[in-house]
Amino acid sequence: MKAYYLIKNGSSDTAFELRDLKLNDPNDNEVMIETEVFGLNFADVMARLGYYKACPPLPTVIGYDVAGKIIKKGKNVTDLEIGQRVTALTRFGGYATHVNTNHHGVVPINDEIDAATATALATQYSTAYYAAEFSMSLQKGEHVLIQAAAGGVGTALIQLAKRRGCIVYGTAGSEEKLEYLKKQGVDYPINYLKHDFYEYIKKQRGEKSIDAVFDSIGGNYVKKGLKLLAPGGRLAMYGAAQIAGNSDKKSLYRQLKTLFSFGKYRPTQFFAQSQSLIGVNMLQIGDHKPNILKKCMTDVVKLYEKNEINPVVSKNFNANELAEAHNYLQKRKSTGKLAVKW
Ligand SMILES: NC(=O)c1ccc[n+]([C@@H]2O[C@H](COP(=O)([O-])OP(=O)(O)OC[C@H]3O[C@@H](n4cnc5c(N)ncnc54)[C@H](OP(=O)(O)O)[C@@H]3O)[C@@H](O)[C@H]2O)c1
């Protein structure tokens, strides 16, 4: 058994080391998975840079999703069988040939689905599904703004919002990504590094015109997003990518700047406009509402099988290219999902 350990915060070139992995048998509620592929998530970049509070102390194995085969299971696991091919949301530990994880984050997949695509369903689609269906309850005809829409969660949100008959505004940071958004069916693609998304939407539709905002950037993006909300509108925040900046060095200044640029909100302002500010954190959902995590994962696998969603894997890497893969994600080159094959 092998794993890529995160041994040092900072540059991807020096952050990871391939080591032998000592893994105990799964506990009563866990299965052990022999992995074909593990997925990358932006939270992994945040963990590498030292920004991710939930990350265990180093050296540790990070990684949120894998696809592979169950080779052992605990005595309380009755919904899964040894030998089944599965996709799984792991609570760290994914960058490994083998991982133990709670059965609530594990769903069977058929032999036809490509393993990298399956990893996109585990984290990014289940997050998007929980946010769009449970937290935001998107309705037909609603105007929806998705920040960083060309990314993994962003792509999933576009597809789930279009499935519900929403009008989608999607932001991204390059002209190539804008082309990608058009292909995904985004009605109003906006290059937010060239144009102020708030001014753009205000000019198109007026200030209080958006029913749902999905924000993974944080700070002033949330502040401006709230100003765009119509009465009855909701804003879901599920990330703060701007803290990462474009450097390998952790910056307290950037953390504080992001924190202060959120602005100040009063409960009465939400009450007066019947609006909501909602947080989404799938680790908390997995820990405290495991049946909901299971339902989200099962539902997205079914939607995939019915061709109602279509994850995009923009690049597959080999395990010995992990540093390159991390850099690719951090430097904003990816669209959709990135996966790493053993
Ligand atoms: N709360 C949860 O449970 C949960 C679960 C999964 C993911 N997330 C969050 O959701 C977001 C999307 O995750 P993902 O894995 O699908 O990643 P991703 O969207 O594929 O990649 C991140 C994207 O964020 C944009 N971005 C904006 N500012 C950036 C910066 N300073 N540095 C790098 N990228 C920046 C880039 O798109 P542009 O080039 O278009 O700007 C980049 O491609 C992340 O913030 C992640 O932490 C949260």
Side-chain angles (χ1 to χ4, degrees):
M1 293 190 226
K2 296 270 181 198
Y4 275 95
Y5 278 77
L6 176 61
I7 53 164
K8 197 171 153 188
N9 293 129
S11 161
S12 60
D13 292 333
T14 51
F16 297 104
E17 191 172 274
L18 184 62
R19 293 184 177 177
D20 289 333
L21 174 73
K22 287 191 191 83
L23 200 60
N24 295 328
D25 277 348
N27 73 26
D28 290 351
N29 299 312
E30 288 179 335
V31 296
M32 183 185 286
I33 300 169
E34 184 180 40
T35 63
E36 287 173 55
V37 155
F38 61 86
L40 291 199
N41 289 280
F42 196 71
D44 303 352
V45 174
M46 296 297 261
R48 168 168 62 77
L49 296 176
Y51 288 119
Y52 201 50
K53 265 193 185 165
C55 181
L58 309 193
T60 190
V61 182
I62 60 170
Y64 277 120
D65 47 57
V66 300
K69 193 172 70 177
I70 296 179
I71 56 167
K72 290 183 184 180
K73 66 173 192 166
K75 69 174 171 30
N76 296 341
V77 181
T78 53
D79 56 343
L80 296 162
E81 298 304 330
I82 289 171
Q84 261 176 338
R85 190 169 185 247
V86 291
T87 185
L89 191 149
T90 55
R91 206 185 195 298
F92 303 102
Y95 289 12
T97 58
H98 297 77
V99 60
N100 291 330
T101 196
N102 189 292
H103 71 107
H104 283 110
V106 182
V107 172
I109 50 173
N110 61 35
D111 286 340
E112 281 74 57
I113 181 170
D114 144 75
T117 305
T119 61
L121 295 174
T123 307
Q124 282 141 331
Y125 275 75
S126 67
T127 303
Y129 188 81
Y130 176 78
E133 298 287 324
F134 283 76
S135 302
M136 301 283 264
S137 182
L138 291 184
Q139 303 294 315
K140 189 171 182 208
E142 287 197 308
H143 289 254
V144 174
L145 168 63
I146 301 166
Q147 304 286 18
V153 180
T155 300
L157 285 169
I158 296 169
Q159 295 175 3
L160 293 169
K162 294 308 288 181
R163 179 175 169 269
R164 283 279 172 233
C166 299
I167 297 110
V168 176
Y169 301 67
T171 59
S174 71
E175 293 308 308
E176 293 76 32
K177 287 188 180 181
L178 252 56
E179 285 307 311
Y180 172 88
L181 294 186
K182 283 181 201 159
K183 284 195 192 129
Q184 285 292 323
V186 169
D187 302 279
Y188 295 91
I190 307 163
N191 184 334
Y192 59 0
L193 297 185
K194 261 193 180 168
H195 308 287
D196 183 313
F197 73 91
Y198 167 76
E199 293 297 339
Y200 176 95
I201 293 174
K202 194 173 138 190
K203 199 165 152 196
Q204 296 278 331
R205 288 201 26 94
E207 196 165 33
K208 291 171 176 272
S209 58
I210 298 290
D211 302 298
V213 178
F214 293 91
D215 191 283
S216 59
I217 313 286
N220 52 340
Y221 284 71
V222 168
K223 188 174 167 181
K224 289 180 181 179
L226 285 173
K227 278 164 70 176
L228 287 170
L229 280 190
R234 296 87 72 204
L235 184 148
M237 188 199 151
Y238 59 96
Q242 69 169 260
I243 289 177
N246 53 14
S247 149
D248 282 335
K249 275 208 168 143
K250 191 174 172 183
S251 159
L252 181 62
Y253 168 73
R254 213 167 31 245
Q255 279 177 289
L256 290 174
K257 192 175 163 210
T258 304
L259 193 65
F260 285 115
S261 65
F262 274 106
K264 281 188 182 158
Y265 319 118
R266 284 166 287 107
T268 45
Q269 86 189 62
F270 294 103
F271 158 61
Q273 298 288 320
S274 199
Q275 293 173 333
S276 315
L277 173 57
I278 300 166
V280 171
N281 183 328
M282 292 310 277
L283 288 187
Q284 295 298 328
I285 298 303
D287 287 350
H288 300 285
K289 297 193 180 289
N291 291 332
I292 295 207
L293 172 64
K294 187 80 165 191
K295 175 158 177 49
C296 290
M297 290 190 59
T298 307
D299 285 0
V300 294
V301 169
K302 277 191 203 145
L303 289 181
Y304 174 79
E305 287 169 351
K306 288 195 284 179
N307 275 328
E308 292 190 31
I309 52 174
N310 184 20
V312 175
V313 179
S314 64
K315 209 160 155 60
N316 285 289
F317 292 86
N318 291 319
N320 61 5
E321 300 168 315
L322 179 59
E324 195 188 315
H326 252 250
N327 218 22
Y328 196 80
L329 183 57
Q330 184 186 0
K331 301 291 178 222
R332 307 164 85 143
K333 291 184 186 158
S334 63
T335 47
K337 181 75 176 171
L338 296 180
V340 177
K341 192 175 182 321
W342 281 104

